[in-house]
Amino acid sequence: MSRFLYYLIFTNMLAIITTPIPRLLLQDAKEGAIASMILGAAAGIAFTWIIVRFFSNHPGMDLPDLLVSYTSDWFRILVTFYFALLWYLAGAITLVMTVFLLITFLTPEMSIYTITASLLVTVYFGVLLKTKSVLFSLEIVFVLMVPFGVLMLLKLFTSDELNWDQIQLSIMHINRLPTFTAFTSTFFMFIGCANLIIFNKYFKEKQRLSPWSLGIVLLFGALMLATSYFFPIGLSGFDRIDQLIFPWISSADAIRMKYGLVERVVFIFMFIFVTIAFMSIIIHWHVAYKLINSVFRPGFLQVNQQNFAPFVLVFLFLAVGTVLVVRMTQYDIYHYSIYYYNTLPVFIAVFFLMMFAVRKGASSS
């Protein structure tokens, strides 16, 4: 399996630190969060295997290519816009959470408009990059950030402030029935492979998904789940963990590096994971932009053989994202994220319907 496919899957897992997922899992800590994570991880691995196998049978073809070749126009347009909406909202959720995290922990006196604009200016050009360039940018981020992230994780799990008794107390609730929101939130972690709907155009050779590859994905996902769930419990306590708005970041702020250049670990972690979240926004909005652009190509925006439709489309992405950041509160983002994650079964059904339609069209052509 290509290293770039690993990057797409792992980015989706790493970016959960700056999404509502850790809080949604910890809200069900006294219910069936652990059982939900186990089932969600199993379902996510199965979904990864199915998606990679499907696209490996069509190397060098993205979703718009497949839909144009093997399905009718009305089906292609409906599926394309549905997926574009889901991918855009995924990036918007990460954007809103990232801005709230920056305001709360790093720049409390800075205007929300300034923070949002500073993020979106770079996102604007990142979304308009070629698909291959987005993958190379993602590789640079991984090479630079992941080693520091590993060192920080080792620091966190070897910290004296980490109370393992509280973690053991939380594990005792493993026998509770799973909850739907915790299950869908966990499942969302493992659907980074779905970005193949656009990025498969880069993979010209058939991707071979071995048990070893699935094992690596499952191991990395389990590590991120354990970090985002058990670490806040070990630092903040099991009884009141559901009261924290940003459980993971608030817990990391309790760790100090006595002999480090930066004493507060949260500064380093915020830099690492905000960068990962930044790439996650670019990936999600790049996919949404490519999907919409494959259907919507207005001629009136053509000036001197230069098509300005992509620039206008991405500008609309940024404008709507800015409105969401300004209008939504921290309660709103958690409240509406639950609706978003709970609609993932519909996404799975549509995805399977799309695969069935493509296979039927390919077999009859």
Side-chain angles (χ1 to χ4, degrees):
M1 196 165 72
S2 171
R3 69 184 189 277
F4 292 109
L5 184 51
Y6 281 117
Y7 294 153
L8 291 173
I9 295 173
F10 292 165
T11 299
N12 203 65
M13 294 177 176
L14 287 167
I16 69 162
I17 296 298
T18 52
T19 66
I21 291 179
R23 175 171 167 79
L24 296 179
L25 292 176
L26 290 168
Q27 281 182 333
D28 293 333
K30 298 175 183 178
E31 300 299 330
I34 297 180
S36 302
M37 289 189 291
I38 295 173
L39 292 177
I45 286 296
F47 183 79
T48 299
W49 182 78
I50 293 172
I51 297 305
V52 175
R53 283 288 301 273
F54 171 76
F55 281 103
S56 65
N57 293 327
H58 307 279
M61 297 183 69
D62 56 16
L63 180 65
D65 294 335
L66 294 173
L67 294 178
V68 168
S69 301
Y70 303 119
T71 65
S72 58
D73 287 340
W74 68 268
F75 182 82
R76 172 178 63 90
I77 293 173
L78 288 177
V79 170
T80 299
F81 276 107
Y82 173 70
F83 285 163
L85 176 63
L86 285 184
W87 258 261
Y88 177 80
L89 291 178
I93 290 173
T94 306
L95 171 66
V96 175
M97 282 295 298
T98 302
V99 172
F100 285 162
L101 288 172
L102 290 173
I103 291 176
T104 304
F105 293 96
L106 292 183
T107 56
E109 297 181 359
M110 187 176 293
S111 169
I112 189 172
Y113 295 98
T114 304
I115 297 175
T116 305
S118 62
L119 288 174
L120 291 182
V121 165
T122 312
V123 168
Y124 180 83
F125 295 102
V127 172
L128 289 172
L129 288 174
K130 295 181 179 180
T131 301
K132 189 174 182 180
S133 299
V134 173
L135 289 175
F136 286 142
S137 301
L138 183 59
E139 182 173 39
I140 293 173
V141 170
F142 259 81
V143 171
L144 295 178
M145 297 298 167
V146 170
F148 292 101
V150 172
L151 291 176
M152 290 298 99
L153 286 177
L154 291 175
K155 169 62 180 176
L156 293 177
F157 280 102
T158 57
S159 172
D160 295 333
E161 289 86 356
L162 194 64
N163 190 334
W164 290 95
D165 291 336
Q166 294 294 319
I167 295 177
Q168 293 175 7
L169 178 62
S170 67
I171 296 176
M172 293 177 63
H173 291 72
I174 194 174
N175 59 343
R176 299 296 181 90
L177 292 176
T179 61
F180 188 67
T181 300
F183 169 80
T184 55
S185 299
T186 303
F187 179 79
F188 179 82
M189 282 186 56
F190 289 85
I191 63 173
C193 61
N195 289 309
L196 284 172
I197 64 175
I198 289 299
F199 289 95
N200 193 59
K201 200 174 189 68
Y202 170 78
F203 301 112
K204 304 297 183 180
E205 298 180 357
K206 186 174 182 178
Q207 298 296 307
R208 300 186 181 276
L209 189 62
S210 64
W212 173 252
S213 300
L214 282 177
I216 294 176
V217 173
L218 179 59
L219 180 62
F220 192 88
L223 175 63
M224 289 308 303
L225 278 174
T227 301
S228 59
Y229 182 78
F230 291 112
F231 173 72
I233 291 176
L235 282 177
S236 301
F238 179 72
D239 292 333
R240 61 186 187 90
I241 190 62
D242 56 346
Q243 301 176 9
L244 297 179
I245 302 298
F246 303 105
W248 197 92
I249 306 298
S250 299
S251 301
D253 199 22
I255 304 298
R256 296 290 185 269
M257 295 184 66
K258 186 176 180 180
Y259 301 107
L261 295 176
V262 180
E263 181 183 5
R264 295 177 65 184
V265 172
V266 69
F267 288 154
I268 303 175
F269 260 82
M270 284 290 293
F271 174 72
I272 295 172
F273 285 101
V274 165
T275 304
I276 296 293
F278 175 78
M279 284 305 305
S280 178
I281 298 170
I282 290 178
I283 291 171
H284 284 120
W285 283 6
H286 179 79
V287 171
Y289 151 70
K290 286 290 186 180
L291 290 174
I292 296 178
N293 197 47
S294 67
V295 176
F296 184 70
R297 296 178 179 178
F300 65 89
L301 293 177
Q302 188 97 8
V303 179
N304 296 329
Q305 298 183 347
Q306 174 65 48
N307 186 15
F308 288 92
F311 303 98
V312 175
L313 176 60
V314 178
F315 180 79
L316 290 177
F317 279 14
L318 270 58
V320 174
T322 303
V323 172
L324 291 176
V325 171
V326 174
R327 293 293 183 89
M328 296 185 72
T329 63
Q330 294 177 1
Y331 171 79
D332 290 335
I333 187 62
Y334 285 111
H335 181 70
Y336 292 116
S337 294
I338 293 176
Y339 292 130
Y340 178 82
Y341 296 133
N342 287 348
T343 59
L344 287 180
V346 179
F347 159 73
I348 298 172
V350 174
F351 213 111
F352 283 0
L353 178 63
M354 177 273 298
M355 291 191 295
F356 174 77
V358 169
R359 287 180 177 177
K360 184 178 179 180
S363 61
S364 60
S365 61

